Amino acid sequence: PQRTHKHSFRSSGINAEYGGFIAPFVTFAYNTVDKVIGSSQTIVSSVKKVGLIACFSPLTNTGYMLFNGLLKGQNFNDIILKIRSDLVEILIVGYSVWLPTHFSLFVFVPLQHRLLISNIVGVIWTGYLTYAANRAAKQRDVL
């Protein structure tokens, strides 16, 4: 099949810039959760950690959509409308990806390796998030 559009280096740049902001936040979140709940890798401890991480999700996803829209030069009110229309769907998909990922990380992966595994899953997640943040309203209505 023939490609209908070319790669957007601007979009890639926006995602790279956002990654520079979000990576320290994720590291902070992991360290904070380990300090608050402890570094135990039990099931109960891991469930508590996943719950705390789930609280960060609305902040990071809203931040991404806001950051993406501002760097693309969109009107602030249009960005807010897009966040209101898309955030619930993004959170549902995000929870279905990240909650099992984080649970696995907290049960099986030592702290020093969590960011690496998280970044691998994050590459796939960023692909979806970029798609969701940049699709037109007409496409959302069809889905």
Side-chain angles (χ1 to χ4, degrees), residues 39-100:
S39 59
S40 169
Q41 289 181 285
T42 66
I43 301 294
V44 172
S45 175
S46 297
V47 168
K48 290 178 184 177
K49 291 175 186 179
V50 168
L52 281 177
I53 291 295
C55 294
F56 288 112
S57 187
L59 296 172
T60 58
N61 290 322
T62 300
Y64 177 83
M65 295 176 76
L66 180 63
F67 187 83
N68 186 49
L70 290 174
L71 285 179
K72 287 173 35 182
Q74 293 177 334
N75 176 298
F76 186 76
N77 290 331
D78 291 341
I79 296 169
I80 297 303
L81 288 174
K82 180 150 183 67
I83 290 170
R84 285 184 179 160
S85 76
D86 290 1
L87 186 61
V88 171
E89 176 189 339
I90 289 171
L91 286 173
I92 290 169
V93 174
Y95 288 143
S96 70
V97 170
W98 285 110
L99 294 182

